Amino acid sequence: MRQRIAAAQNLNLRSMNIGIIGAGHIGSALAVRLVSLGHSVKIANSRGPETLDGVAEKTGATPATAREAAQHGEIIVVTIPLKNIPDLDKDLFAGVAAEVPVIDTSNYYPMLRDGQMPELEHGDLTESEWVQQHLGRPVVKVFNNIYADHLQNKGVAAGTPGRIALPVAGDGPAAKQKVMALVEELGFDAVDDGTLHESWRQQPGTPSYGADLPADQLRAHFVSLGSTRTEAQHAEYLANHAKAEQQMADQGILLK
């Protein structure tokens, strides 16, 4: 960890305040990496900071309430089960400057966790557009299509052969650029996945989901898919995802 912090300092990377709402696999993996890079991280869960001693010991992040994490962040990460998004306080971002990027890492798992959500079944909304509606804030979609272990342990220096690329989708250019810079700092190539409405290309069931593709392959893949999701594509990826969920269920895999 000290070596990573030293490397970040040598690159003159500015330490930021980052708030993470959600202390599951992705939230904890991000906290480990961000703290190791010298950032100040506050992390929250739904049960209160008094339940986060183990997470704090593992990650180095400071336990907080969701409101404290949101207020702390120059970047805010929301990484909770999709079904729990509507349960967040409606005034969670009150007083948070409009230019602060809010990252959404969520995925829709109807069989294993979230239950059927009709708005996401018919294909008009992407998952993150649905999240954006409920949060009442613009969001940037990233960190949803990589395994937590890979996020924590497979970041490498820019230019390293086979460096994993992560898609980043959003409607605000400034927020997206800030998030893409963070992705690069974490050791991954940031690939622009267009608008939030185009973020279907990185959702579960698509070929890029969990594939750890390098940047050139990921860009070529997005070009091959096009920007507008067809009914056939939507049906195909829903079927792929349902099959993957069933396989996970058969293996006894549980999602938080």
Side-chain angles (χ1 to χ4, degrees):
M1 182 178 293
R2 291 176 182 173
Q3 291 177 335
R4 287 175 177 170
I5 293 174
Q9 291 170 340
N10 289 338
L11 289 171
N12 295 316
L13 296 172
R14 184 178 69 84
S15 176
M16 289 190 292
N17 295 332
I18 298 175
I20 300 178
I21 299 169
H25 297 308
I26 292 294
S28 294
L30 278 172
V32 168
R33 290 291 290 115
L34 291 168
V35 170
S36 77
L37 291 167
H39 298 296
S40 171
V41 178
K42 288 190 176 182
I43 190 166
N45 66 4
S46 60
R47 293 166 300 164
E50 65 277 5
T51 67
L52 288 170
D53 289 347
V55 172
E57 183 177 355
K58 172 187 173 183
T59 66
T62 301
T65 65
R67 184 69 183 274
E68 289 169 343
Q71 294 291 326
H72 181 69
E74 295 172 68
I75 292 178
I76 302 166
V77 183
V78 178
T79 177
I80 66 176
L82 196 71
K83 67 176 182 178
N84 294 342
I85 291 288
D87 297 332
L88 291 171
D89 290 343
K90 301 307 178 186
D91 62 348
L92 180 62
F93 301 107
V96 177
E99 64 269 18
V100 172
V102 176
I103 292 172
D104 168 44
T105 78
S106 61
N107 291 308
Y108 176 43
Y109 277 90
M111 180 190 302
L112 293 177
R113 184 187 61 201
D114 299 314
Q116 289 279 331
M117 296 181 176
E119 307 99 310
L120 299 178
E121 292 290 331
H122 56 54
D124 292 341
L125 279 180
T126 62
E127 293 161 6
S128 286
E129 286 179 309
W130 183 88
V131 170
Q132 182 169 266
Q133 287 184 358
H134 282 276
L135 294 184
R137 291 272 304 211
V139 302
V140 179
K141 178 85 163 185
V142 68
F143 303 131
N144 74 296
N145 77 324
I146 183 171
Y147 295 110
D149 176 69
H150 295 189
L151 179 59
Q152 183 173 329
N153 297 305
K154 292 198 172 185
V156 296
T160 302
R163 192 184 199 214
I164 296 170
L166 298 182
V168 184
D171 299 332
K176 185 156 61 172
Q177 285 302 314
K178 190 172 183 179
V179 171
M180 291 178 78
L182 184 67
V183 170
E184 296 279 346
E185 184 185 348
L186 286 166
F188 304 93
D189 286 332
V191 170
D192 193 333
D193 189 22
T195 67
L196 209 60
H197 195 59
E198 294 171 292
S199 65
W200 60 271
R201 299 185 295 193
Q202 66 195 76
Q203 290 180 177
T206 61
S208 68
Y209 187 75
D212 289 350
L213 298 174
D216 57 344
Q217 292 184 29
L218 187 59
R219 291 190 185 98
H221 172 62
F222 288 159
V223 170
S224 73
L225 291 181
S227 60
T228 302
R229 178 170 51 184
T230 66
E231 290 185 8
Q233 286 171 322
H234 184 54
E236 177 185 354
Y237 300 145
L238 281 178
N240 290 347
H241 188 33
K243 182 178 179 180
E245 279 198 280
Q246 186 60 60
Q247 290 172 344
M248 294 168 71
D250 292 342
Q251 295 170 28
I253 295 174
L254 300 176
L255 296 180
K256 296 180 180 180

